[in-house]
Amino acid sequence: MTDLLNLPWHEAREQASGKELAAASLSAIDALNPKLNAFLQVGRDIGDGMPVAVKDNIVTTDMPTTCASRILSNFTSPFDATAVARLRAGGCSIAGKTNLDEFAMGSSTEHSAFGPARNPWDPSRVPGGSSGGSAVAVAARMVPAALGSETGGSVRQPAALCGVVGLKPTYGRISRNGLVAFGSSVDQIGIITKTVRECASLLGMIAGHDPLDSTSATNAVDDYAADLDAGVRGLRFGVVREAVEQLEGEVRANFDDALAVLRAGGAVIEEVSVPSIGYAIAIYYIVANAEASANLSRFDGIRFGHRSDRAKSLREVYFESRGEGFGDEVKRRIMLGTFALSSGYYDAYYGRAQAVRSKLRDDFNNAFARFDYLLTPTTPEVAFPIGAKTDDPLAMYLSDIFTAPANLVGIPAIAVPSGFSRGHLPLSLQIMAPHFAERALFRAANFFERETNYWREAPPV
Amino acid sequence: MKIDRDEAKRIATLAHLEFDDPALERMAGEMTKILSYIDQLREVDVAGFEWTDPADATPLRDDMPRTPVDRDAVAANAPSFSDDGHFIVPKVIGD
């Protein structure tokens, strides 16, 4: 039965019932989670639909939502996130809540208040973040699919480091109702699976306008699987010059190999300039943190979450509860965001970051006028050892250098496995497309997956 | 952009966060380093892209009441809740 967990869900279902597969999934979670720490909560309700893991910053009524923070360790939401409700309506069951960097702030899952998740390819290494638990749950074949969330790359980057598929849809494609807010102008729920086809299927299940999220798009939900087998002949792919010129070694060689695969399928590949792309991290760490400083002000010890025992005045309820409840990275980002929005600095920091963001969006529009897709590696490096970057916040932030632009501009982007390093750690190709072009994105990604089949190799756990 | 102790303290107060002295020093140093990286945004020519508050940002809906959240669920999450449905907090007015 465990072998069946290596297959795409619909193929596995040809050989076993949903209930048998869900039971196998639960056994896999019980066997592997003590070592990998992917799940903070495990659901014991075995239905016969697809078990889907949900990142623990997306609310569920039947399990707590902690955001991997001490400030919310005792919180159970009175409502399901819209994406969760749609999964349930589609017959899926919620396998459990997965580990993340606290409040989705991080690129390694090391900032979880409940210990890091571990990369199934090498448990001494990070799985990436912030949706590390979700990526591990799928990569280790504990579940066929997981929801994560993205603000600067937090689905694609861990998917890349764990060798699985990770999608960030167009901003507004999936409702944010029930996703604990971090950066409201960039946040999106994302989907992690072993294969592109499964990802397309789940997007169709949960995408679509939601009256409870006024930033959700009214664009019609597409038939995302329709062009999966259409190939890439004649399609135009732009390699982002400013991203590629920094590449070297194994990542460079692997990226070039990926281009060769696409070219062999008849893709037209040229370099294209996205001049402002180098500023994306700087923009991101002002805009996302500024919005986070506002969004996290609701954690004040009053209505929910941790309230300090030592607080005697209202001021102390706020200061002590937040001081005790938030981890260092969260505090650092709130401080940066508060600074950027404070009087005297607002125009120079938040205003300027938004202006450069507009320029970045313009650069992407220009690129998409000539190309159907844009390409980069998903990350500049393979999974790093646990502890390697925790003393250097800026070094950690630079893990998002290729992923953050898509969040800032709102375009959809997908990470697909592209091979392995010499040390047998996963490498990943990132494909970006214009707003609401997810169907085209899946077309290109599926072609690449079918030509390379890297997803068939499971980690040695 | 250099963040010194006093500036860090000012920001912390705005953010309703408190740090002991060593933590405040550390935070000031980290913020200085990160903001130095972010300061490269100053060199960008943003002519034509200046940011203004958009007038037509998020669409509004009619102000119609919807199903409220279940009070028992709210009470279950509250640090301190009265029988008649109020959050209990330290005294704010008076003294």
Side-chain angles (χ1 to χ4, degrees):
Chain A
M1 195 61 63
T2 7
D3 281 349
L4 294 183
L5 299 177
N6 281 322
L7 296 176
W9 177 258
H10 65 277
E11 280 181 38
R13 281 289 280 109
E14 288 164 12
Q15 301 186 46
S17 72
K19 233 178 167 77
E20 285 172 316
L21 290 175
S25 179
L26 197 49
S27 298
I29 294 171
D30 284 341
L32 296 172
N33 202 51
K35 177 157 118 172
L36 299 178
N37 202 26
F39 285 86
L40 298 176
Q41 282 286 325
V42 180
R44 297 278 152 194
D45 220 354
I46 302 180
D48 46 24
M50 182 195 282
V52 180
V54 171
K55 185 179 184 181
D56 204 22
N57 65 347
I58 298 171
V59 299
T60 47
T61 48
D62 54 349
M63 280 175 253
T65 302
T66 68
C67 298
S69 178
R70 296 198 192 293
I71 214 167
L72 270 186
S73 54
N74 60 354
F75 178 77
T76 302
S77 172
F79 63 96
D80 274 339
T82 298
V84 169
R86 289 179 181 179
L87 283 177
R88 295 199 216 258
C92 298
S93 61
I94 305 306
K97 307 301 289 294
T98 55
N99 204 358
L100 63 153
D101 284 292
E102 187 181 358
F103 285 108
M105 296 177 173
S107 305
S108 67
T109 314
E110 292 172 286
H111 292 302
S112 167
F114 306 116
R118 291 171 181 277
N119 194 312
W121 295 92
D122 177 347
S124 73
R125 293 178 184 260
V126 302
S130 59
S131 311
S134 285
V136 172
V138 174
R141 277 78 173 136
M142 292 189 246
V143 286
L147 296 188
S149 76
E150 282 245 356
T151 306
S154 287
V155 161
R156 288 165 287 154
Q157 186 256 19
L161 301 194
C162 290
V164 287
V165 172
L167 170 79
K168 181 200 85 70
T170 307
Y171 181 81
R173 181 71 289 180
I174 298 177
S175 169
R176 291 185 302 112
N177 177 53
L179 169 65
V180 174
F182 165 1
S184 308
S185 76
V186 277
D187 286 346
Q188 268 295 280
I189 287 176
I191 301 171
I192 298 175
T193 52
K194 289 189 301 297
T195 66
V196 173
R197 184 173 297 270
E198 292 169 292
C199 191
S201 167
L202 279 170
L203 182 63
M205 197 184 285
I206 65 176
H209 182 252
D210 179 12
L212 298 177
D213 173 7
S214 54
T215 65
S216 67
T218 50
N219 304 51
V221 174
D222 211 344
D223 178 2
Y224 295 117
D227 296 335
L228 282 178
D229 297 323
V232 295
R233 188 156 303 282
L235 296 179
R236 297 181 54 79
F237 291 77
V239 169
V240 178
R241 174 178 307 136
E242 292 81 4
V244 165
E245 63 196 6
Q246 309 168 35
L247 293 180
E248 47 186 19
E250 290 187 296
V251 176
R252 174 92 225 204
N254 178 264
F255 184 68
D256 288 339
D257 288 345
L259 299 183
V261 170
L262 293 169
R263 226 177 251 119
V268 176
I269 305 185
E270 291 169 20
E271 264 196 4
V272 65
S273 177
V274 179
S276 310
I277 207 168
Y279 297 113
I281 293 291
I283 299 168
Y284 172 73
Y285 278 97
I286 289 294
V287 171
N289 290 339
E291 294 175 7
S293 71
N295 283 321
L296 268 64
S297 65
R298 72 194 65 190
F299 301 105
D300 57 9
I302 301 292
R303 290 156 298 155
F304 45 76
H306 173 69
R307 182 187 290 191
S308 172
D309 291 334
R310 301 184 297 160
K312 285 180 241 35
S313 67
L314 185 66
R315 185 189 193 278
E316 282 174 13
V317 169
Y318 296 148
F319 281 75
E320 304 286 351
S321 303
R322 289 162 66 80
E324 289 168 11
F326 286 142
D328 286 344
E329 181 62 27
V330 172
K331 287 178 184 171
R332 192 162 25 239
R333 297 200 191 197
I334 291 174
M335 290 284 283
L336 283 166
T338 303
F339 169 78
L341 293 176
S342 67
S343 172
Y345 296 107
Y346 180 87
D347 287 323
Y349 282 91
Y350 190 72
R352 174 144 282 253
Q354 289 282 53
V356 184
R357 183 182 181 181
S358 294
K359 192 164 191 189
L360 180 65
R361 189 161 176 144
D362 195 57
D363 287 352
F364 270 90
N365 287 341
N366 293 339
F368 282 125
R370 296 174 44 221
F371 294 94
D372 302 304
Y373 306 94
L374 298 177
L375 296 173
T376 70
T378 308
T379 59
E381 71 216 320
V382 293
F384 44 91
I386 289 173
K389 297 196 187 191
T390 40
D391 287 340
D392 190 349
L394 192 54
M396 187 75 85
Y397 297 166
L398 293 170
S399 309
D400 294 336
I401 203 156
F402 299 139
T403 49
N407 303 83
L408 291 171
V409 170
I411 55 176
I414 194 166
V416 272
S418 65
F420 296 91
S421 70
R422 262 187 305 277
H424 215 69
L425 295 167
L427 292 158
S428 176
L429 175 69
Q430 174 177 242
I431 309 172
M432 295 180 270
H435 297 95
F436 300 105
E438 282 87 350
R439 180 156 91 168
L441 197 60
F442 289 128
R443 172 181 177 176
N446 196 57
F447 170 80
F448 184 77
E449 176 185 283
R450 291 185 59 152
E451 292 299 302
T452 56
N453 280 305
Y454 293 120
W455 70 273
R456 293 200 181 273
E457 184 179 338
V461 280
Chain B
M1 172 76 211
K2 176 152 170 43
I3 303 290
D4 61 20
R5 253 187 107 270
D6 288 340
E7 183 64 12
K9 185 95 178 100
R10 177 188 79 91
I11 298 161
T13 305
L14 283 174
H16 287 189
L17 292 172
E18 204 146 59
F19 299 91
D20 62 28
D21 280 344
L24 198 63
E25 287 285 353
R26 213 166 37 240
M27 184 61 69
E30 286 166 351
M31 287 178 72
T32 299
K33 185 171 176 190
I34 293 164
L35 287 169
S36 299
Y37 175 81
I38 286 168
D39 278 340
Q40 64 182 288
L41 293 179
R42 291 189 191 170
E43 74 200 28
V44 183
D45 175 10
V46 293
F49 295 105
E50 290 85 4
W51 185 68
T52 51
D53 267 315
D56 63 339
T58 313
L60 301 177
R61 63 172 175 87
D62 292 337
D63 187 12
M64 298 290 293
R66 295 208 252 236
T67 318
V69 166
D70 174 59
R71 182 186 279 190
D72 289 339
V74 171
N77 286 315
S80 188
F81 203 74
S82 74
D83 290 335
D84 60 350
H86 293 82
F87 295 98
I88 302 173
V89 298
K91 190 160 137 180
V92 180
I93 302 166
D95 283 354

